[in-house]
Amino acid sequence: IIMAFTTLQTFALYYIKDVVGITNPAAATAKFSILAVAGMLAVVYPAGRLSDRVGRKPIIISSGLLGALGIALLFFSPHSYMHILFCGGLVGISFGAFLSTNWALATDLVAKGEEARYLGLTNLATAGGAALARLIGLAIDPLNKYSPDLGYSVMLGACFIYFLVGSGLVVKIKGRG
């Protein structure tokens, strides 16, 4: 799920500029980012509280599915800026719910006295996923040259898969949560 959000965050400016054709893509991307962050902030606390009641995994899985829905709507969108803002809000809400419950689940699963070690490893995996997500940028331009917007379609497809795989991996976790 981190990979999907990082990919979108990294390439949003270029997507908005190249696909949507906004004349001031920097300002449009700033609004997009603000909306996504507002969505994150709006759900972090409620999602954390809800995960205390229903468990971490249902919230994380739901957040991944919501993110996948946001990507699917973006993929099939009419490429209007308002539609992109709406999809960005969904992805922001998804990511906020994920962040609040992902770290709580990690904390729940670690052995007593080993918290720092395992949370450090979790942080390395998170940073590694974010770094790997940027590698898709190597394919965007060549694919766009081959066929207009093909690179961005592949990027959105990868984000969709990241969200689904992230949700699916959480299902396999045994233990509390």
Side-chain angles (χ1 to χ4, degrees):
I1 294 175
I2 296 281
M3 290 179 70
F5 192 79
T6 300
T7 300
L8 290 172
Q9 180 184 30
T10 302
F11 300 106
L13 172 74
Y14 308 108
Y15 180 85
I16 289 170
K17 177 181 161 270
D18 297 343
V19 176
V20 184
I22 300 290
T23 55
N24 187 350
T29 303
K31 288 178 188 172
F32 174 84
S33 298
I34 289 168
L35 185 64
V37 169
M40 283 192 291
L41 291 174
V43 301
V44 168
Y45 183 75
R49 294 286 300 202
L50 183 60
S51 77
D52 289 341
R53 280 193 236 132
V54 301
R56 315 295 190 212
K57 291 194 312 187
I59 303 301
I60 294 172
I61 292 166
S62 298
S63 75
L65 296 176
L66 179 63
L69 174 65
I71 295 298
L73 291 174
L74 185 60
F75 185 83
F76 294 110
S77 78
H79 301 306
S80 75
Y81 184 59
M82 292 307 292
H83 189 81
I84 288 170
L85 288 177
F86 173 76
C87 294
L90 285 180
V91 170
I93 290 168
S94 163
F95 196 58
F98 170 77
L99 284 177
S100 66
T101 54
N102 178 57
W103 287 102
L105 177 62
T107 304
D108 290 346
L109 295 175
V110 298
K112 293 286 183 202
E114 297 290 321
E115 294 89 349
R117 177 180 312 191
Y118 287 103
L119 290 177
L121 290 171
T122 302
N123 191 45
L124 285 174
T126 300
L132 284 174
R134 290 172 174 87
L135 291 177
I136 198 158
L138 297 171
I140 292 174
D141 281 343
L143 290 171
N144 283 342
K145 286 180 185 173
Y146 180 76
S147 177
D149 301 334
L150 177 61
Y152 295 114
S153 295
V154 169
M155 176 196 76
L156 291 175
C159 289
F160 182 80
I161 291 168
Y162 297 154
F163 275 119
L164 292 181
V165 168
S167 292
L169 289 173
V170 172
V171 171
K172 301 240 178 222
I173 294 175
K174 292 182 178 18
R176 296 173 299 181

